[in-house]
């Protein structure tokens, strides 16, 4: 398992290094979706290569992708110059939608590439090869070095455009440098990690770091540390709970953002959100008791007979699940040839498994019916007081805030 | 006398009057089978090319018009073409899966628990067993004959001729694939159940048990370990399988990756090609 995760982990850390830095720029420029647009433009380039008969994984396809992405980068740089007449974010959105649509039109003529393009945008971090990681690290190292050498104009143009203007820097030129190198990074990273993960690496560490420090250097250090921590946590989650790795990392990024926002929020804001959520839960219970509410203890609202039935069913569900898991493992072993079994016995096992699963599903239905009965009883006893109390508390908090605001 | 004359006229005029039956199929394989049965009496068009993903087709206006016009629509059925449900056709719709002995028809709930192929009514890739050409073409003869009763004999004859061509081919493919009989294989996507059943391959696992969801590290490492232990030497991929995943499985286990085609313009040529790729 470790050997399986080692290179993907290194790849993810390399991604963190480059994207945290670019993310700070992207946030300062207010062009959050630029990477999605550039990835889509690069995919369009590959589709055009397909139309000309080059296979998806050929060098020609890669150069097409890169050329298209750089053309997109120049377009975005030009869009900033024309910002007075058309919003840059709108241009990015339009480029995204149009290149996705043109891609569909191209695929209509060359359908053999459709799944590959989809895969390209989804990426597969887990199947990255050592060679790819080394290439990625070299490329990012080179771009990082170049950015370091010209950091002054780059930072000025991204973070202090007025100052850059006053110093008579060519904003268009430095924008082309920024978006061009960005295009180079995105074309390579999306291939490996997919758009979702690349977007998260770009935006989340930079956004969270922005919550804690105004200094660029501190933010960069924070973003790197955070990106690395989330990456490791995501890999651990994927490993421990048996989850697909990419989506697991994105989910941890989401959680990290929520935690950071909570950590920065005042006690009063947190109390207001808590009351709001409690009031909503109460309202939901009153209005629609059939909706699942996993936080509610149901045992208190069941009769003695029902409790007995619930305990028995839980026990039998537990036993059946264990037995099914064991038999399925046995069935797998037979399939893989670790165990031998006559055809007739195999068929009997299959039939038994099917029947047992149906019974298990029936038992789960009993549990569901019991919790529905409990929620029906909780509807007014719990739901109404919860709604009333939480709403009252929320009202008090709001009026307290209004009063302190006036003072 | 006059009646006999009219009858003679009708019989004489019939072939000239019979315009071509317009048939639309949802897949290229069904198109090939309809063309084999219908011969020169039908004009048949497929909505999907072999390279298209049959689950997600975006129809073009001309295809929509053809679908509206068609006297007969032949579909794979089960839940293979979810996009077809929202389209209207005035013609007869033939579900080609009727009469086919389906595999993996456990209830959807069981399927979910086992993470098998996500189709709810059984594995839909039944045309990949060439023996299923018998029931499929039989349904096609029935449907075409209902639309053109006078041509039944022609359709029957065309079908018999096609199956006569197919029969020795199946023997040939079986012979060519004989070395693989009983060999364990891992598939990327669970679309080869029928093919494997016919030619005696033992499919032991699907690497991507849920299409579109990448396998987790634990699933992959278990797969690799089991493949090495069981000595699995063959990985069957589809043209749209994730190439990085296929490459990784091949590298880590030493198994030979083979990409098989799930669909083709010519039914017999499709199996010829797949047999060649497998026995190479």
């Amino acid at each position: 398992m470790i050997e399986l995760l080692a290179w993907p982990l290194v790849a993810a850390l390399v991604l963190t290094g480059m994207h945290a830095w670019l993310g700070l720029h992207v946030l300062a420029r207010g062009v959050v979706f630029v990477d999605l647009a550039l990835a889509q433009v690069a995919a369009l380039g590959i589709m055009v290569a397909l139309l000309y008969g080059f296979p998806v994984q050929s060098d020609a396809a890669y150069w097409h992708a890169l050329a298209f992405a750089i053309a997109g980068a120049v377009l975005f740089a030009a869009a900033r110059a024309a910002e007075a007449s058309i919003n840059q974010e709108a241009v990015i959105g339009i480029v995204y939608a149009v290149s996705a649509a043109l891609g569909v039109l191209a695929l209509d003529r060359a359908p053999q590439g459709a799944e590959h393009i989809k895969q390209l945008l989804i990426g597969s971090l887990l199947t990255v090869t050592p060679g790819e990681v080394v290439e990625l690290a070299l490329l990012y190292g080179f771009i990082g070095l170049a950015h370091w050498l010209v950091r002054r104009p780059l930072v000025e143009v991204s973070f202090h455009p007025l100052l850059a203007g006053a110093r008579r820097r060519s904003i268009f030129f430095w924008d082309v440098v920024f978006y061009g190198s960005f295009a180079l990074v995105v074309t390579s990273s999306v291939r490996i990690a997919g758009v979702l993960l690349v977007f998260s690496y770009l935006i989340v560490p930079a956004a969270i770091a922005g919550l804690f420090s105004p200094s660029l250097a501190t933010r960069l250090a924070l973003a790197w540390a955070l990106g690395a921590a989330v990456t490791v946590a995501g890999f651990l989650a994927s490993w421990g709970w048996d989850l697909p790795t990419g989506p697991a990392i994105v989910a941890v990024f989401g959680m990290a953002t929520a935690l950071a926002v909570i950590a920065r929020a005042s006690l009063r804001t947190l109390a207001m959100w808590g009351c709001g959520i409690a009031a909503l839960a109460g309202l939901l219970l009153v209005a629609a008791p059939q909706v699942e509410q996993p936080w509610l203890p149901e045992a208190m609202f069941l009769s003695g007979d029902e409790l007995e039935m619930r305990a028995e069913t839980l026990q039998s569900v537990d036993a059946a699940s264990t037995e099914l898991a064991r038999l399925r493992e046995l069935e797998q072993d037979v399939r893989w040839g670790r165990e031998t079994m006559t055809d007739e016995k195999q068929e009997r096992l299959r039939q038994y498994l099917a029947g047992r699963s149906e019974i298990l599903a029936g038992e789960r239905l009993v549990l569901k019916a019991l919790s529905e009965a409990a929620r029906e009883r909780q509807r007014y006893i719990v739901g109404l007081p919860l709604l009333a109390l939480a709403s009252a508390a929320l009202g008090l908090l709001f009026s307290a805030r209004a009063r302190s605001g006036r003072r | 006398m006059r009646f006999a004359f009219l009858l003679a006229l009708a019989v004489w005029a019939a072939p000239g009057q019979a315009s071509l039956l317009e048939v639309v199929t949802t897949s290229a394989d069904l198109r090939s089978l309809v063309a084999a049965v219908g011969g020169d009496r039908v004009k048949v068009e497929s909505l999907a090319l072999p390279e298209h993903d049959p689950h997600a087709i975006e129809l073009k206006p001309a295809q929509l018009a053809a679908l509206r016009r068609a006297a007969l629509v032949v579909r794979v059925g089960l839940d293979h073409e979810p996009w077809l449900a929202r389209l209207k056709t005035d013609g007869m719709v033939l579900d080609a899966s009727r009469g086919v002995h389906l595999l993996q028809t456990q209830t959807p709930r069981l399927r979910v628990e086992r993470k098998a192929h996500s189709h709810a009514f059984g594995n839909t890739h039944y045309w990949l067993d060439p023996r299923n050409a018998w029931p499929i073409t039989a349904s096609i003869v029935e449907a075409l004959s209902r639309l053109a009763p006078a041509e039944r004999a022609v359709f029957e004859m065309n079908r018999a001729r096609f199956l006569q061509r197919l029969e020795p081919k199946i023997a040939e493919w079986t012979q060519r694939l004989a070395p693989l009989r009983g060999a364990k294989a891992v598939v990327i996507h669970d679309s080869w159940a029928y093919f494997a059943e016919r030619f005696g391959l033992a499919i032991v696992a699907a690497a991507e048990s849920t299409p579109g969801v990448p396998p987790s590290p634990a699933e992959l490492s278990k797969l690799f370990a089991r493949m090495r232990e069981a000595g699995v030497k063959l990985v069957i991929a589809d043209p749209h399988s994730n190439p990085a995943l296929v490459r990784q499985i091949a590298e880590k286990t030493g198994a030979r990756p083979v990409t098989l085609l799930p669909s083709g313009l010519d039914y017999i040529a499709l199996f010829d090609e797949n047999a060649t790729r497998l026995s190479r």
Side-chain angles (χ1 to χ4, degrees):
Chain A
M1 183 85 100
I2 300 294
E3 35 114 15
L4 210 60
L5 289 177
W7 283 106
L9 180 63
V10 176
L13 292 175
V14 172
L15 286 178
T16 311
M18 189 75 240
H19 287 74
W21 164 243
L22 290 175
L24 291 169
H25 280 270
V26 163
L27 283 181
R29 288 164 173 263
V31 289
V32 170
F33 293 109
V34 71
D35 78 306
L36 296 184
L38 282 178
Q40 200 63 54
V41 174
L44 176 64
I46 294 182
M47 287 177 230
V48 171
L50 270 176
L51 276 185
Y52 285 114
F54 299 106
V56 177
Q57 277 130 329
S58 61
D59 286 345
Y62 178 75
W63 292 114
H64 269 82
L66 192 61
F68 269 68
I70 287 181
V74 174
L75 187 70
F76 292 150
R80 187 170 181 189
E83 184 129 56
S85 39
I86 180 165
N87 183 312
Q88 198 185 6
E89 192 78 48
V91 174
I92 291 171
I94 294 167
V95 166
Y96 171 78
V98 171
S99 50
L102 287 179
V104 175
L105 292 183
L107 281 182
D108 185 53
R109 294 276 174 265
Q112 66 277 12
E115 293 293 334
H116 287 280
I117 303 288
K118 232 194 285 172
Q119 227 104 56
L120 221 67
L121 293 175
I122 296 171
S124 64
L125 189 60
L126 218 51
T127 54
V128 70
T129 62
E132 284 171 334
V133 180
V134 171
E135 261 175 43
L136 200 69
L138 285 177
L139 176 72
Y140 289 1
F142 172 74
I143 293 175
L145 184 69
H147 275 212
W148 171 253
L149 292 176
V150 295
R151 62 189 177 283
R152 206 154 284 170
L154 266 189
V155 168
E156 261 174 34
V157 168
S158 285
F159 293 82
H160 317 287
L162 290 178
L163 182 66
R167 290 204 177 144
R168 298 188 168 272
R169 295 211 192 269
S170 164
I171 292 191
F172 177 72
F173 173 77
W174 290 111
D175 272 356
V176 169
V177 170
F178 173 74
Y179 284 120
S181 48
F182 190 81
L184 201 59
V185 168
V186 166
T187 327
S188 318
S189 53
V190 166
R191 272 170 102 98
I192 286 174
V195 279
L196 280 185
L197 206 53
V198 167
F199 180 83
S200 305
Y201 272 116
L202 193 66
I203 301 303
V204 178
I208 296 181
L211 286 176
F212 292 94
S213 169
S215 134
L216 185 59
T218 320
R219 269 197 250 166
L220 182 60
L222 256 179
W224 275 337
L226 204 97
V230 167
T231 301
V232 172
F235 270 84
L236 285 177
S238 161
W239 185 29
W241 290 312
D242 194 17
L243 304 168
T245 309
I249 299 175
V250 176
V252 177
F253 266 126
M255 227 151 58
T257 315
L259 286 179
V261 170
I262 289 175
R264 293 296 290 168
S266 68
L267 214 55
R268 181 186 286 164
T269 316
L270 288 181
M272 282 166 97
W273 275 96
C275 290
I277 290 169
L280 202 67
L283 182 67
L284 199 65
L285 187 58
V286 173
Q290 66 275 21
V291 176
E292 307 272 344
Q293 304 248 21
W295 57 276
L296 275 174
E298 53 192 50
M300 270 157 54
F301 292 82
L302 294 175
S303 69
D305 282 353
E306 284 169 336
L307 276 176
E308 202 175 311
M309 191 200 291
R310 181 165 175 270
E312 272 170 19
T313 316
L314 275 176
Q315 208 176 5
S316 111
V317 163
D318 202 36
S321 306
T322 322
E323 192 197 1
L324 278 177
R326 189 180 60 79
L327 289 176
R328 291 227 168 96
E329 198 65 21
L330 175 67
E331 198 193 21
Q332 282 285 318
D333 284 349
V334 172
R335 273 230 259 177
W336 282 97
R338 293 168 94 185
E339 299 270 343
T340 44
M341 201 183 261
T342 61
D343 283 352
E344 192 202 335
K345 228 176 159 186
Q346 275 187 55
E347 180 59 25
R348 274 210 333 250
L349 175 63
R350 214 179 59 77
Q351 301 281 358
Y352 178 76
L353 277 171
R356 199 70 194 83
S357 302
E358 288 299 332
I359 296 172
L360 178 63
E363 279 163 348
R364 292 217 171 104
L365 268 183
V366 171
L367 286 180
K368 196 166 169 244
L370 282 175
S371 37
E372 266 172 22
R375 278 203 304 276
E376 188 58 51
R377 285 167 211 160
Q378 288 162 338
R379 185 175 186 179
Y380 298 111
I381 305 176
V382 177
L384 273 182
L386 187 65
L387 177 61
L389 283 175
S391 312
L394 193 62
L396 280 176
L397 283 167
F398 261 115
S399 66
R401 192 175 74 169
R403 251 181 283 131
S404 68
R406 249 179 272 135
R407 242 184 274 140
Chain B
M1 182 67 203
R2 203 165 63 181
F3 175 73
F5 171 74
L6 279 180
L7 191 70
L9 190 72
V11 168
W12 172 77
Q17 279 172 353
S19 55
L20 290 178
L21 272 177
E22 291 200 35
V23 183
V24 167
T25 67
T26 56
S27 81
D29 315 279
L30 289 177
R31 196 207 71 87
S32 173
L33 292 177
V34 170
V37 171
D40 54 6
R41 303 294 204 275
V42 298
K43 181 173 162 246
V44 55
E45 178 184 339
S46 165
L47 296 179
L49 289 174
E51 298 86 3
H52 274 134
D53 173 7
H55 300 316
I57 296 284
E58 200 157 332
L59 287 189
K60 286 175 278 183
Q63 293 182 317
L64 204 61
L67 196 64
R68 288 268 161 86
R69 230 178 21 236
L72 173 66
V73 177
V74 185
R75 57 177 302 191
V76 173
L78 308 171
D79 53 0
H80 199 69
E81 310 106 330
W83 45 274
L84 198 62
R86 291 172 42 214
L87 297 172
K88 275 207 188 102
T89 170
D90 298 330
M92 192 161 114
V93 178
L94 170 65
D95 181 339
S97 70
R98 279 186 317 177
V100 173
H101 173 68
L102 296 173
L103 298 178
Q104 301 175 348
T105 50
Q106 310 100 317
T107 59
R109 186 166 45 235
L110 281 182
R111 199 182 307 287
V112 169
E113 280 180 17
R114 282 164 188 239
K115 293 185 157 188
H117 192 291
S118 60
H119 291 293
F121 308 103
N123 194 314
T124 62
H125 305 84
Y126 55 81
W127 68 91
L128 290 171
D129 175 358
R131 278 280 161 219
N132 281 340
W134 271 256
I136 299 172
T137 48
S139 315
I140 294 173
V141 166
E142 278 312 309
L144 289 178
S145 309
R146 217 179 311 155
L147 293 167
E151 309 275 358
R152 177 180 277 274
V154 178
F155 298 142
E156 296 273 14
M157 200 175 67
N158 287 344
R159 171 175 185 249
R161 208 179 292 147
F162 173 73
L163 294 179
Q164 258 169 26
R165 256 178 72 213
L166 188 58
E167 185 75 67
K169 279 303 226 178
I170 294 182
E172 180 200 319
W173 298 323
T174 310
Q175 200 197 352
R176 282 171 73 185
L177 297 178
L180 290 173
R181 190 158 275 281
K184 293 194 188 77
V186 163
V187 292
I188 303 294
H189 180 61
D190 206 357
S191 44
W192 296 98
Y194 294 90
F195 186 88
E197 177 100 345
R198 174 59 47 208
F199 296 110
L201 284 167
I203 293 179
V204 287
E208 217 176 70
S209 46
T210 320
V213 182
S216 72
E219 274 173 348
L220 266 188
S221 98
K222 193 171 168 191
L223 181 74
F224 294 160
R226 289 202 140 164
M227 280 179 74
R228 280 189 223 118
E229 186 191 347
V232 177
K233 289 277 167 274
L234 184 62
V235 180
I236 298 179
D238 291 13
H240 56 255
S241 299
N242 181 355
L245 179 64
V246 178
R247 188 190 57 207
Q248 195 183 32
I249 296 176
E251 274 173 11
K252 297 268 177 193
T253 64
R256 176 171 68 109
V258 177
T259 300
L260 295 185
L261 304 177
S263 181
L265 289 174
D266 182 294
Y267 191 72
I268 291 180
L270 172 70
F271 289 95
D272 269 335
E273 175 65 27
N274 282 338
T276 305
R277 288 182 180 207
L278 268 175
S279 53
R280 201 175 281 158

